[in-house]
Amino acid sequence: DNPPIGSGRHFGGYFSGADRQQADPKLLRHKWENAFTIDAASWGYSRKSNIGDYLSVRDMLHQVISTIAYGGNALINVGPTHDGRILPVFQERLLALGKWLEVNGAAVYGSRPWRAQNDTASHGVHEGVYYTASPATGSVFAFAMHWPADSVLRLVQPKPSAGTSAQLLGCAKPVTWSAGAGGTGIDVHIPSLTPPELPSQEGPWVFELRAVN
């Protein structure tokens, strides 16, 4: 078995851990990996698996995003059949992940952990907002796990400046922002969008923030 992720023991240069192990702040100074399976019940091909055993695309993205926000590497496992075939359910999940990355890859590839990893009081895979940063552009990316009910994404961590701007990746319509309540953080105001204008129907949705601290 892999050593617990916070134990200080590791294989090679990477700290590892149990299946779907989530990060915590002590890992920020280490290379680490979250290895997880699309078939949540098995690392190999299983004829006993039912549709409910497979991670949904949203579940996969939550795993990936909450990992990279802490500087981790996401290793995604599929179990081939005895003759090397990849089942259509695995193909569908991976193709959907690739389609999401076509729109939002700038927030993933070459990114680094930001000074804050999330914008929620309690860390949860399916909750709140996660952050990454781009050393190349200076942008901060906010991954919204859920669409805000009033189309206003309230972010506590970013500190705006005179040059701050916001953009929803994959969306051509402009996004505006205002200072958060009490002068803390920023509120991102999402325009009214038709389904074809949305970069994703189910999310997560990624907002690029420029000139924030």
Side-chain angles (χ1 to χ4, degrees), residues 103-104 167-173 196-200 206:
V103 175
N104 301 294
Q167 176 190 359
L168 172 59
L169 295 188
C171 177
K173 280 192 173 181
E197 291 174 322
L198 284 166
S200 169
V206 184

mmCIF file of all heavy atoms in Angstrom, residues 103-104 167-173 196-200 206:
data_model
loop_
_atom_site.group_PDB
_atom_site.id
_atom_site.type_symbol
_atom_site.label_atom_id
_atom_site.label_comp_id
_atom_site.label_asym_id
_atom_site.label_seq_id
_atom_site.Cartn_x
_atom_site.Cartn_y
_atom_site.Cartn_z
ATOM 1 N N VAL A 103 -11.264 24.019 -23.379
ATOM 2 C CA VAL A 103 -11.749 25.351 -23.013
ATOM 3 C C VAL A 103 -10.956 25.922 -21.847
ATOM 4 O O VAL A 103 -10.603 27.110 -21.838
ATOM 5 C CB VAL A 103 -13.247 25.301 -22.653
ATOM 6 C CG1 VAL A 103 -13.734 26.657 -22.148
ATOM 7 C CG2 VAL A 103 -14.068 24.841 -23.849
ATOM 8 N N ASN A 104 -10.650 25.085 -20.873
ATOM 9 C CA ASN A 104 -10.124 25.565 -19.597
ATOM 10 C C ASN A 104 -8.676 25.182 -19.323
ATOM 11 O O ASN A 104 -8.183 25.367 -18.214
ATOM 12 C CB ASN A 104 -11.009 25.036 -18.457
ATOM 13 C CG ASN A 104 -12.450 25.478 -18.606
ATOM 14 O OD1 ASN A 104 -12.754 26.658 -18.511
ATOM 15 N ND2 ASN A 104 -13.342 24.525 -18.854
ATOM 16 N N GLN A 167 -12.898 37.317 -16.689
ATOM 17 C CA GLN A 167 -13.393 36.698 -17.913
ATOM 18 C C GLN A 167 -13.801 35.269 -17.613
ATOM 19 O O GLN A 167 -13.099 34.547 -16.887
ATOM 20 C CB GLN A 167 -12.306 36.700 -18.992
ATOM 21 C CG GLN A 167 -12.705 35.981 -20.277
ATOM 22 C CD GLN A 167 -11.543 35.792 -21.234
ATOM 23 O OE1 GLN A 167 -10.419 36.211 -20.955
ATOM 24 N NE2 GLN A 167 -11.803 35.152 -22.371
ATOM 25 N N LEU A 168 -14.933 34.851 -18.141
ATOM 26 C CA LEU A 168 -15.349 33.460 -18.070
ATOM 27 C C LEU A 168 -14.743 32.738 -19.263
ATOM 28 O O LEU A 168 -15.049 33.058 -20.416
ATOM 29 C CB LEU A 168 -16.873 33.357 -18.093
ATOM 30 C CG LEU A 168 -17.479 31.954 -18.204
ATOM 31 C CD1 LEU A 168 -17.045 31.064 -17.041
ATOM 32 C CD2 LEU A 168 -19.009 32.045 -18.276
ATOM 33 N N LEU A 169 -13.853 31.783 -19.003
ATOM 34 C CA LEU A 169 -13.183 31.075 -20.096
ATOM 35 C C LEU A 169 -14.210 30.383 -20.982
ATOM 36 O O LEU A 169 -15.136 29.737 -20.497
ATOM 37 C CB LEU A 169 -12.185 30.058 -19.547
ATOM 38 C CG LEU A 169 -10.984 30.598 -18.763
ATOM 39 C CD1 LEU A 169 -9.999 29.467 -18.466
ATOM 40 C CD2 LEU A 169 -10.272 31.721 -19.519
ATOM 41 N N GLY A 170 -14.024 30.537 -22.290
ATOM 42 C CA GLY A 170 -14.918 29.913 -23.250
ATOM 43 C C GLY A 170 -16.170 30.697 -23.540
ATOM 44 O O GLY A 170 -17.038 30.215 -24.277
ATOM 45 N N CYS A 171 -16.292 31.896 -22.983
ATOM 46 C CA CYS A 171 -17.486 32.719 -23.169
ATOM 47 C C CYS A 171 -17.080 34.056 -23.780
ATOM 48 O O CYS A 171 -16.166 34.720 -23.278
ATOM 49 C CB CYS A 171 -18.206 32.939 -21.849
ATOM 50 S SG CYS A 171 -19.658 34.005 -21.963
ATOM 51 N N ALA A 172 -17.770 34.474 -24.840
ATOM 52 C CA ALA A 172 -17.415 35.709 -25.523
ATOM 53 C C ALA A 172 -18.000 36.946 -24.851
ATOM 54 O O ALA A 172 -17.512 38.052 -25.062
ATOM 55 C CB ALA A 172 -17.890 35.653 -26.969
ATOM 56 N N LYS A 173 -19.045 36.768 -24.054
ATOM 57 C CA LYS A 173 -19.685 37.928 -23.428
ATOM 58 C C LYS A 173 -18.804 38.484 -22.308
ATOM 59 O O LYS A 173 -18.172 37.722 -21.565
ATOM 60 C CB LYS A 173 -21.058 37.543 -22.865
ATOM 61 C CG LYS A 173 -22.161 37.486 -23.911
ATOM 62 C CD LYS A 173 -23.526 37.398 -23.246
ATOM 63 C CE LYS A 173 -24.645 37.505 -24.271
ATOM 64 N NZ LYS A 173 -25.970 37.454 -23.623
ATOM 65 N N PRO A 196 -26.331 27.762 -25.485
ATOM 66 C CA PRO A 196 -25.194 27.668 -26.416
ATOM 67 C C PRO A 196 -24.029 28.595 -26.067
ATOM 68 O O PRO A 196 -22.896 28.358 -26.502
ATOM 69 C CB PRO A 196 -25.803 28.058 -27.771
ATOM 70 C CG PRO A 196 -27.265 27.800 -27.626
ATOM 71 C CD PRO A 196 -27.573 28.129 -26.200
ATOM 72 N N GLU A 197 -24.315 29.664 -25.300
ATOM 73 C CA GLU A 197 -23.254 30.600 -24.941
ATOM 74 C C GLU A 197 -22.438 30.123 -23.750
ATOM 75 O O GLU A 197 -21.356 30.653 -23.486
ATOM 76 C CB GLU A 197 -23.855 31.973 -24.622
ATOM 77 C CG GLU A 197 -24.437 32.681 -25.828
ATOM 78 C CD GLU A 197 -25.143 33.970 -25.455
ATOM 79 O OE1 GLU A 197 -25.813 34.007 -24.402
ATOM 80 O OE2 GLU A 197 -25.029 34.944 -26.220
ATOM 81 N N LEU A 198 -22.945 29.126 -23.028
ATOM 82 C CA LEU A 198 -22.220 28.599 -21.876
ATOM 83 C C LEU A 198 -21.049 27.733 -22.344
ATOM 84 O O LEU A 198 -21.209 26.899 -23.245
ATOM 85 C CB LEU A 198 -23.138 27.753 -20.999
ATOM 86 C CG LEU A 198 -24.119 28.496 -20.109
ATOM 87 C CD1 LEU A 198 -25.164 27.525 -19.574
ATOM 88 C CD2 LEU A 198 -23.381 29.155 -18.937
ATOM 89 N N PRO A 199 -19.877 27.880 -21.734
ATOM 90 C CA PRO A 199 -18.758 27.000 -22.098
ATOM 91 C C PRO A 199 -18.981 25.566 -21.652
ATOM 92 O O PRO A 199 -18.370 24.643 -22.184
ATOM 93 C CB PRO A 199 -17.559 27.622 -21.370
ATOM 94 C CG PRO A 199 -18.156 28.441 -20.281
ATOM 95 C CD PRO A 199 -19.489 28.900 -20.763
ATOM 96 N N SER A 200 -19.843 25.368 -20.674
ATOM 97 C CA SER A 200 -20.166 24.034 -20.177
ATOM 98 C C SER A 200 -21.561 24.079 -19.578
ATOM 99 O O SER A 200 -21.927 25.052 -18.918
ATOM 100 C CB SER A 200 -19.163 23.579 -19.116
ATOM 101 O OG SER A 200 -19.605 22.401 -18.462
ATOM 102 N N VAL A 206 -14.706 28.223 -15.131
ATOM 103 C CA VAL A 206 -13.430 28.826 -14.744
ATOM 104 C C VAL A 206 -13.428 30.308 -15.112
ATOM 105 O O VAL A 206 -13.724 30.671 -16.260
ATOM 106 C CB VAL A 206 -12.242 28.121 -15.416
ATOM 107 C CG1 VAL A 206 -10.928 28.711 -14.925
ATOM 108 C CG2 VAL A 206 -12.285 26.613 -15.138
#
